[in-house]
Amino acid sequence: IDDEDALNEVEVNGNWTPQEKALHEARLKAKAKRRLRKSSSRNSASESFSESGDVPGGDPHSPKGKVNTNDRKSRAGKGRGLPKKGGAGGKGVWGAAGMVYEDEEPDARDPNYDESSQGDTVYATVVPEVDEKELEKMVNPIVQEYFEHGDTKEVEMLLKELNLGPHKYEFSSLAVSLSLEGKASHRELTSRLLSDLSGKLMSQSDMARAFDKMLKELPDLILDTPEAPQMLGQFIARAIADHVLPMSFLDCYKGKVDCEHARVALDRAAVLLTMKREMVRLDNVWGVGGGLRPVKHLVKEMNLLLKEYLVSGDVSEAERCLRDLEVPHFHHELVYEAVVMVLESTGDTASHMMIKLLQSFWKTGLITVDQMNRGFQRVYDELPEISLDVPHAHSIMETFVDLCYQESIITKQLRDACPSRGRKRFVSEGDGGMIKN
């Protein structure tokens, strides 16, 4: 018996007033109730432990005698010992089966709300920057294919897919150096490409940097292309005329060039830019355009070629001019124009000179069988119209065709296909003296 109980017994034996005695009994009842509550809570806790299969007491090191801090079962001794919320709540759980979550709008009052991160997410493909050593390997096939198809938009699309970075100006210099080793039509295509890329992928400063690099590399370019200084000068003049290079490009080099080859290139560009005659146009600086030129222009060039040949008689020069035109599919026009010139000329000089020219083209293979046949056949088809201006066209044609066959320029089949107009004659008197065709 503790001290409080002993004191109570002593006081009970004494003389208590009724109020004190009633107060004392109320205290005793309250104390008994508290003891009963404590004992009942212990019993229920032990029962819940035994139901869950855990040993009462659990881990002695756990705080306040907790058995498992991660256990999601109720520790209040209520319920059937199942997980709270049926497993649909708590941290790191997906929720109850079949539950559909709706999109939640970001709350501006959320402490983790970031205004700059809101909006549609954009995924971009990151293209690594092209290494300077690999640039030439990647650009070379693009330029070579362009020389075949001539589509500047395709080149622009391919370059956009590459991340050239600070070395993008080198594309222009590589394209120009490749065209120097190619044909005149390749240089024309390159000038057009530089014009189309200017302002879209390349700025004037990029182009100026590229041509500056080309001027410094001229001593090496001459080893493969002896005429590189003159060609580069024409490139510069054409680029300035097309507004690819700034007008002040040449002024930056005055009195500052030590290389002899670079000086030749810059002088060539300056001369072309200062010429004011209508005959010299910088859009025709390369002299040829291949199949890109209109038919009227090609016909005019071939006519000029033949007229110059009739004056000079230089077969090799005529052959060079025809090769420079680079239109082997249009050589039948030259044959046609040559034959028509023979029909319209007076005397035999033009006939013999044209036979000599066609014979040279035939032997060198510059004009093929198909092109030769097409040229003569065109003249055969138009002989009725030509004879209106040239009355003796049929007889001249027959003589010329026979000479061409003797020189083995045309085949026997083509010679026999030559149309002949029967001569008008008087028949016997029995026909009444009528003229018969």
Side-chain angles (χ1 to χ4, degrees):
I1 300 173
D2 54 8
D3 296 339
E4 187 179 357
D5 294 338
L7 182 59
N8 290 338
E9 289 180 0
V10 173
E11 291 176 349
V12 168
N13 294 330
N15 296 323
W16 279 8
T17 63
Q19 293 83 358
E20 291 176 348
K21 189 174 181 179
L23 182 61
H24 177 68
E25 288 176 357
R27 287 176 180 172
L28 290 177
K29 288 179 183 179
K31 190 173 184 180
K33 285 182 180 179
R34 286 197 299 270
R35 287 176 179 173
L36 181 61
R37 286 174 186 168
K38 289 182 180 179
S39 62
S40 65
S41 65
R42 290 194 189 99
N43 293 336
S44 63
S46 64
E47 287 175 4
S48 65
F49 290 144
S50 62
E51 285 178 6
S52 62
D54 294 334
V55 180
D59 186 4
H61 301 290
S62 63
K64 297 183 181 180
K66 287 186 179 179
V67 178
N68 188 359
T69 55
N70 294 325
D71 187 12
R72 294 182 182 173
K73 295 178 182 178
S74 175
R75 300 187 185 91
K78 298 177 183 179
R80 296 176 297 160
L82 299 175
K84 292 184 293 184
K85 299 184 182 179
K91 183 180 180 182
V93 295
W94 287 95
M99 185 179 291
V100 179
Y101 293 95
E102 297 180 355
D103 295 335
E104 293 185 5
E105 293 293 332
D107 187 3
R109 292 173 294 179
D110 189 341
N112 294 324
Y113 179 80
D114 185 6
E115 186 178 358
S116 62
S117 65
Q118 301 306 317
D120 297 333
T121 304
V122 180
Y123 296 94
T125 304
V126 179
V127 181
E129 187 177 309
V130 178
D131 187 25
E132 187 177 1
K133 296 179 181 177
E134 299 178 357
L135 180 65
E136 186 173 355
K137 294 180 181 178
M138 301 182 75
V139 167
N140 204 325
I142 295 176
V143 177
Q144 295 292 354
E145 288 177 8
Y146 168 68
F147 288 159
E148 297 295 329
H149 58 70
D151 188 358
T152 58
K153 291 184 179 179
E154 183 173 342
V155 178
E156 183 180 347
M157 181 187 68
L158 292 173
L159 290 179
K160 284 182 178 178
E161 294 176 358
L162 299 176
N163 184 8
L164 298 179
H167 307 295
K168 65 179 180 179
Y169 75 94
E170 294 191 20
F171 171 80
S172 303
S173 59
L174 287 171
V176 172
S177 61
L178 286 172
S179 67
L180 293 179
E181 301 172 3
K183 303 176 182 178
S185 60
H186 294 168
R187 292 187 279 277
E188 173 66 26
L189 287 170
T190 304
S191 291
R192 295 188 182 190
L193 178 62
L194 296 182
S195 177
D196 289 349
L197 293 181
S198 179
K200 297 178 181 178
L201 293 179
M202 307 280 181
S203 63
Q204 284 191 344
S205 59
D206 291 331
M207 293 293 184
R209 194 175 175 188
F211 277 101
D212 183 64
K213 182 183 178 183
M214 294 287 293
L215 288 169
K216 293 177 181 177
E217 292 177 354
L218 269 178
D220 297 329
L221 294 173
I222 286 178
L223 299 177
D224 297 326
T225 311
E227 298 177 356
Q230 290 82 3
M231 291 181 182
L232 186 58
Q234 292 175 208
F235 263 117
I236 293 173
R238 174 72 176 269
I240 293 175
D242 290 342
H243 303 288
V244 173
L245 288 175
M247 296 297 292
S248 60
F249 180 77
L250 294 178
D251 298 336
C252 300
Y253 291 93
K254 287 184 177 178
K256 300 179 182 179
V257 180
D258 297 329
C259 178
E260 180 183 354
H261 307 301
R263 202 178 296 119
V264 170
L266 294 170
D267 289 344
R268 174 70 171 164
V271 168
L272 289 172
L273 289 169
T274 53
M275 297 178 80
K276 300 297 183 182
R277 290 180 299 171
E278 293 182 1
M279 292 177 62
V280 180
R281 295 174 55 193
L282 291 176
D283 62 346
N284 192 25
V285 71
W286 301 114
V288 298
L292 300 174
R293 290 299 174 91
V295 174
K296 289 182 179 180
H297 176 81
L298 293 174
V299 172
K300 188 177 179 181
E301 290 287 335
M302 289 182 177
N303 251 311
L304 185 61
L305 179 156
L306 292 171
K307 288 177 180 178
E308 288 180 353
Y309 166 70
L310 289 176
V311 174
S312 64
D314 191 348
V315 177
S316 59
E317 178 65 17
E319 183 178 346
R320 186 190 66 80
C321 292
L322 184 60
R323 288 185 186 275
D324 286 346
L325 285 176
E326 296 181 18
V327 281
H329 59 282
F330 201 60
H331 283 176
H332 61 84
E333 178 66 28
L334 181 85
V335 177
Y336 169 81
E337 296 291 342
V339 176
V340 170
M341 280 187 181
V342 170
L343 296 178
E344 294 177 349
S345 64
T346 55
D348 298 333
T349 307
S351 175
H352 291 297
M353 289 186 71
M354 287 302 179
I355 289 174
K356 181 182 177 183
L357 182 67
L358 292 177
Q359 186 181 29
S360 174
F361 288 166
W362 174 258
K363 287 182 178 179
T364 56
L366 191 57
I367 296 180
T368 61
V369 180
D370 177 61
Q371 296 295 315
M372 190 72 75
N373 290 345
R374 285 183 64 185
F376 272 91
Q377 193 63 49
R378 284 179 60 192
V379 180
Y380 293 167
D381 296 340
E382 295 182 15
L383 261 182
E385 297 178 7
I386 297 173
S387 61
L388 297 177
D389 298 325
V390 184
H392 302 290
H394 281 80
S395 60
I396 298 172
M397 189 68 193
E398 289 178 2
T399 306
F400 183 72
V401 167
D402 285 336
L403 290 173
C404 288
Y405 174 71
Q406 293 173 11
E407 298 293 336
S408 301
I409 298 173
I410 60 174
T411 61
K412 184 176 185 298
Q413 184 179 2
L414 185 62
R415 184 199 67 174
D416 296 340
C418 180
S420 59
R421 184 171 62 176
R423 54 191 176 84
K424 296 178 181 179
R425 62 183 179 83
F426 285 98
V427 293
S428 63
E429 293 178 359
D431 291 333
M434 297 180 64
I435 297 175
K436 196 172 187 178
N437 290 335

